[in-house]
Amino acid sequence: MSNLTMEVLSEHRAFGGKQGFYRHASTSCNGSMKFSLYQPPQAEAGKVPVLLYLSGLTCTEETFMIKAGAQRLASELGMMLVTCDTSPRDAAVAGESDSWDFGLAAGFYLDATQAPWSTAYNMYSYVVKELPAVLAANFPAADLDRMGLFGHSMGGHGALTIGLKHPEQFKSVSAFAPIVAPSQCPWGVKAFTGYLGADQSAWAAYDATSLVAKQQHPQTILIDQGTSDKFWVEQLKTELFVEACQKAGQAVSVNLRDGYDHGYYFISSYIDDHLRHHAGILKG
């Protein structure tokens, strides 16, 4: 089966549009991969902008679509929403389910170089190349020339790094509580050591705080961070990215949300701001 051939798992009417869940064979991830997609009602008449969301640790392709409450405004704005899974699921790599923050549901949106992970843990290539190709082949209304990228936590890390590397492809970028300096936090050090090896020079390409010194995005990057997020100080380190952006001349807008934590109550509270941020760029 071609990796562009898509299987429909389920589709549901939502806010005048269609919420669907799909599966296809993935070359990057050496097995089947699932993704979810919301088509706004405007997709029936022509092309619409695409907003790709990258989820965090332990999440699946369903999490955002079920919990964020994004479809209502996406319908109003005429935005297609897409989310993918957070790691390969069929690779059967030894040890991949040993811990919650590495392996299954913890792909970190990079291309692994270390055995045995390199055979399937290639979420960077999946997001940048393979998933857009699947969208192009199966959803005529997806305007991939007007595509934005955002995410949460590990997915915020993915959105920042991929967005900085590919501003011509992802024309708008935002993040909720992103891991901005994975080379300097326990989650990132564990993942990078396992996937990329002990040579830390290889880590910089997947570290937003390091990357922004060399590669900037032409648009303002929007970040929301809750002040009661238990991971903020040790794992997320928002201030390191802000400092790096200031030195590099990268426009960044950071909202510290008083009393909000790391979960989807936080995301759903401010999802409208992010959708409007992307719509302003992609539709402007």
Side-chain angles (χ1 to χ4, degrees):
M1 183 172 73
S2 165
N3 67 331
L4 299 181
T5 302
M6 182 187 76
E7 176 189 358
V8 178
L9 299 177
S10 69
E11 292 182 329
H12 317 270
R13 197 72 170 158
F15 297 100
K18 184 189 294 182
Q19 173 64 58
F21 298 89
Y22 309 96
R23 177 166 53 203
H24 72 103
S26 168
T27 303
S28 303
C29 298
N30 195 28
S32 66
M33 286 291 287
K34 294 179 182 178
F35 67 96
S36 58
L37 185 145
Y38 176 71
Q39 298 184 72
Q42 295 87 341
E44 296 179 9
K47 286 186 174 292
V48 295
V50 177
L51 188 50
L52 175 58
Y53 178 88
L54 305 180
S55 293
L57 291 164
T58 75
C59 293
T60 73
E61 75 288 346
E62 293 183 317
T63 311
F64 174 81
M65 293 300 192
I66 293 171
K67 291 185 174 183
Q71 292 93 336
R72 177 191 55 78
L73 187 57
S75 170
E76 182 182 316
L77 295 172
M79 303 274 286
M80 183 178 289
L81 300 174
V82 183
T83 75
C84 59
D85 205 348
T86 49
S87 79
R89 299 286 174 170
D90 296 339
V93 175
E96 66 181 359
S97 58
D98 288 354
S99 58
W100 69 274
D101 55 358
F102 181 77
L104 285 179
F108 268 84
Y109 304 102
L110 49 75
D111 282 354
T113 58
Q114 302 298 299
W117 310 99
S118 56
T119 59
Y121 278 73
N122 299 301
M123 290 299 296
Y124 172 81
S125 288
Y126 181 76
V127 169
V128 173
K129 299 175 183 177
E130 195 167 21
L131 182 56
V134 173
L135 299 180
N138 293 280
F139 299 94
D143 188 349
L144 299 179
D145 291 326
R146 292 187 293 161
M147 183 159 54
L149 184 63
F150 70 148
H152 169 234
S153 195
M154 176 185 72
H157 139 75
L160 294 177
T161 54
I162 292 171
L164 287 169
K165 287 185 188 182
H166 300 280
E168 74 293 336
Q169 182 177 5
F170 300 102
K171 296 182 170 64
S172 56
V173 179
S174 74
F176 290 95
I179 303 170
V180 302
S183 300
Q184 302 179 59
C185 77
W187 281 340
V189 170
K190 180 177 181 177
F192 285 5
T193 302
Y195 294 133
L196 303 174
D199 181 3
Q200 295 192 15
S201 64
W203 299 4
Y206 298 108
D207 186 306
T209 297
S210 298
L211 203 56
V212 75
K214 301 176 182 178
Q215 298 173 267
Q216 294 85 46
H217 197 282
Q219 299 291 342
T220 299
I221 296 173
L222 173 64
I223 293 176
D224 273 77
Q225 174 63 56
T227 63
S228 293
D229 187 329
K230 65 181 180 181
F231 302 117
W232 185 19
V233 175
E234 184 181 21
Q235 302 281 13
L236 307 178
K237 302 181 182 290
T238 319
E239 69 284 351
L240 295 181
F241 185 66
V242 173
E243 292 168 7
C245 286
Q246 290 171 343
K247 290 179 181 177
Q250 171 66 57
V252 60
S253 176
V254 178
N255 299 309
L256 298 180
R257 303 300 189 179
D258 188 42
Y260 284 84
D261 61 21
H262 197 67
Y264 270 84
Y265 294 116
F266 160 57
I267 293 172
S268 62
S269 296
Y270 295 103
I271 188 65
D272 285 9
D273 292 353
H274 284 249
L275 294 186
R276 293 188 190 282
H277 167 78
H278 290 276
I281 295 168
L282 301 176
K283 300 179 74 175

